[in-house]
Amino acid sequence: MCRSLVIGYGNLERQDDGVAFYVVNRLRQRLGQKPLRFDDAGLARLENSTDCVFIRQLVPELIETLSNYDRLVFVDAHIPVGMSNLVCTRIYPEDDFPLFTHQMNPALLLAFLKALWDREPISHLLTIQGRRFDLGRGLSAMTAALVDPATRIILELLARRSDPLPSGSCLLPVGCEQN
């Protein structure tokens, strides 16, 4: 059985930076799973063929959890600096990673997973354009409108049995831009 993990990450207290939480909960709803509460990452109940979690940031402690999955989809917000509304890319372990770091990105996490567990799941990063990053909860109207298209992209990725896309490309719903 192919197991998939969708990992949303961001800061719920910084408006659009928490968009992945809303995508994860919409995906959980579409999969017939209970939505996460603001204080629940979902890591305690990883028992489905597709699990969906939300965390504040990527940390090395996730590596053992990731080792149980064949496919990973990371979901995060991005700042609108010349990027499309939705950007989805195939990611691979970084070839050269630092021995010490205070910041973890998906490719670095995959590098540690490969080095420590000899696992290299098919992985994608889907980023969603944010507009407001001030203190406070809730999404701007423009970012909230991207939750459903982002959810559809993830469902399309998960529906594919093998490596869903060549490097650097992604399925996008009609009306969405690609980087």
Side-chain angles (χ1 to χ4, degrees):
M1 170 175 74
C2 178
R3 293 194 69 210
S4 300
L5 179 63
V6 178
I7 306 160
Y9 60 101
N11 186 344
L12 283 168
E13 305 301 328
R14 287 284 186 177
Q15 296 178 341
D16 291 349
D17 194 46
V19 67
F21 175 80
Y22 297 92
V23 172
V24 163
N25 271 343
R26 185 69 46 87
L27 185 59
R28 289 175 70 90
Q29 176 187 24
R30 296 280 305 269
L31 296 171
Q33 300 171 10
K34 290 183 179 180
L36 297 174
R37 297 180 321 273
F38 286 120
D39 62 344
D40 180 14
L43 290 167
R45 298 170 307 283
L46 300 176
E47 57 203 21
N48 301 297
S49 60
T50 298
D51 290 312
C52 308
V53 300
F54 178 81
I55 55 179
R56 188 175 187 94
Q57 65 184 15
L58 300 177
V59 293
E61 291 80 3
L62 288 171
I63 294 170
E64 184 175 357
T65 298
L66 300 182
S67 72
N68 296 309
Y69 292 91
D70 306 296
R71 181 171 298 154
L72 304 173
V73 180
F74 297 89
V75 184
D76 192 16
H78 70 259
I79 297 171
V81 181
M83 295 176 71
S84 302
N85 290 335
L86 296 168
V87 179
C88 184
T89 54
R90 174 82 158 82
I91 54 174
Y92 301 89
E94 287 184 356
D95 290 332
D96 185 29
F97 57 89
L99 294 177
F100 302 101
T101 182
H102 289 284
Q103 293 191 346
M104 184 75 51
N105 65 50
L108 183 55
L109 197 60
L110 293 174
F112 286 131
L113 177 63
K114 184 175 181 180
L116 296 172
W117 287 82
D118 195 28
R119 298 272 294 134
E120 192 172 344
I122 297 168
S123 302
H124 287 84
L125 171 62
L126 173 64
T127 63
I128 304 155
Q129 188 175 75
R131 297 284 181 182
R132 292 189 336 221
F133 294 90
D134 295 325
L135 286 175
R137 284 197 179 165
L139 301 177
S140 66
M142 291 185 74
T143 299
L146 296 172
V147 170
D148 283 330
T151 303
R152 285 194 298 273
I153 290 171
I154 295 168
L155 288 169
E156 290 177 29
L157 286 171
L158 297 175
R160 299 181 182 264
R161 293 194 181 273
S162 62
D163 190 353
L165 303 166
S167 178
S169 64
C170 192
L171 302 168
L172 294 172
V174 174
C176 294
E177 303 170 11
Q178 181 176 356
N179 182 4

